[in-house]
Amino acid sequence: GIYKSSLLTKFVPNIGVSAFYDKVDHSSFKADHTALNASAGWALPIIAPFLGVGYDNTKVEVKAATTAGVTGLSAQANGTRLTVGADLTPFPFARVRAAYMVFHGIPGGMISFGVAF
């Protein structure tokens, strides 16, 4: 987190950033993935809107294959992720989350129900 609003600044968004790297190293292939993310969310009563943006970079390389000429080939892909949504608290201890997302140019949506205590 970069900034978290207080009781007096509830209308200022909470801001967060993250970065991560993960790697797979198998006898047949290896893959590297890097992601950068930023998010903003407003901790308002009953409805808490949020938005996020991210960037992914993935590289996969074939280490061993049964098909001739495939070993050593690699491919790289990158793309953005965009999310806008809201958490709704219809009653205490319950939360409904809904969001519209675009992952690497593919639109979609998400809805979930959670209980917190």
Side-chain angles (χ1 to χ4, degrees), residues 11-36:
F11 294 98
V12 176
N14 299 317
I15 305 290
V17 296
S18 66
F20 68 88
Y21 171 78
D22 48 345
K23 181 176 187 169
V24 176
D25 196 352
H26 186 270
S27 60
S28 298
F29 72 96
K30 69 179 182 177
D32 296 284
H33 173 250
T34 305
L36 302 171

Side-chain angles (χ1 to χ4, degrees), residues 18-108:
S18 66
F20 68 88
Y21 171 78
D22 48 345
K23 181 176 187 169
V24 176
D25 196 352
H26 186 270
S27 60
S28 298
F29 72 96
K30 69 179 182 177
D32 296 284
H33 173 250
T34 305
L36 302 171
N37 308 290
S39 63
W42 291 262
L44 304 175
I46 302 174
I47 188 163
F50 60 87
L51 56 94
V53 61
Y55 177 78
D56 294 309
N57 184 291
T58 305
K59 182 178 179 183
V60 178
E61 182 180 334
V62 179
K63 290 171 60 176
T66 57
T67 304
V70 175
T71 300
L73 291 180
S74 66
Q76 187 165 342
N78 54 55
T80 57
R81 291 174 279 106
L82 304 170
T83 305
V84 61
D87 288 331
L88 176 65
T89 307
F91 48 90
F93 308 113
R95 182 171 70 188
V96 177
R97 173 173 277 199
Y100 174 75
M101 299 174 278
V102 179
F103 289 146
H104 305 267
I106 302 169

